[in-house]
Amino acid sequence: MPEIVQLLASPVHRLAGRPADGPAPAPPDELVGEIQLRAGLGVVGDRYFAKPAHRNASVTIIARESLPPGVDLVQVRRNILTAGLSVDDLIGAVLTLDSGDGPVRLRVNRPANPCAWMDVTIGPGAFRALRRRGGVRCTPLDDGVLRLGPVRATVDREAVGA
């Protein structure tokens, strides 16, 4: 069964400016045990919540299998880290996740392409290594809660207009 390994809701942009200047410090409470999602708005408390420019990319998901050992959401700045779920193959589908509090549908809109910051936060070569494996950008279609642990996941490739 797939699992949600980590969740991140960060109110701050850590990767701003030039990578050579280094990232801003991470807030101590950005890795959380649960996140609240709002339809069309994103993750409550996250830096992209309700931002018009990010409505189609307000929730980001990446698979643990895409990352080097020991790398987590603090380094890649995605919201949801899964295990056992190949998210990069889901562009155009609706992914439904249920971690025990009811289903939350996410429209998978486009890849979450890596940037040059990955060579700084993870290590040299990470930017290239994460191409086509950097996760996906989604829009939540429902209000709901996602928690760490096992998750029921279903994929609807026909629900493009949902």
Side-chain angles (χ1 to χ4, degrees):
M1 173 176 264
E3 148 181 38
I4 295 175
V5 178
Q6 276 188 322
L7 296 165
L8 181 137
S10 182
V12 300
H13 293 274
R14 291 190 54 230
L15 309 181
R18 297 177 305 167
D21 296 335
D29 56 351
E30 66 181 1
L31 289 176
V32 294
E34 70 178 44
I35 55 173
Q36 294 182 5
L37 295 123
R38 296 290 176 255
L41 300 175
V43 177
V44 175
D46 191 69
R47 63 208 176 277
Y48 296 121
F49 182 75
K51 301 285 191 230
H54 294 280
R55 291 274 167 90
N56 290 328
S58 61
V59 177
T60 53
I61 307 171
I62 192 167
R64 178 174 62 188
E65 293 82 0
S66 295
L67 299 174
V71 173
D72 66 15
L73 294 180
V74 172
Q75 292 146 299
V76 295
R77 311 308 293 163
R78 305 295 188 249
N79 299 113
I80 302 169
L81 179 63
T82 64
L85 183 60
S86 181
V87 298
D88 294 299
D89 300 330
L90 301 179
I91 305 297
V94 171
L95 171 64
T96 302
L97 299 176
D98 187 343
S99 60
D101 290 285
V104 177
R105 293 175 306 138
L106 300 157
R107 181 185 320 284
V108 183
N109 297 312
R110 59 188 170 92
N113 294 319
C115 65
W117 276 99
M118 297 303 99
D119 284 346
V120 174
T121 61
I122 297 172
F127 170 57
R128 247 178 215 263
L130 285 174
R131 286 186 187 161
R132 292 176 294 284
R133 300 176 35 189
V136 292
R137 296 188 184 280
C138 307
T139 303
L141 301 176
D142 305 301
D143 292 352
V145 174
L146 293 175
R147 299 178 192 279
L148 297 176
V151 64
R152 236 177 271 122
T154 57
V155 176
D156 184 352
R157 294 189 188 277
E158 305 298 320
V160 175

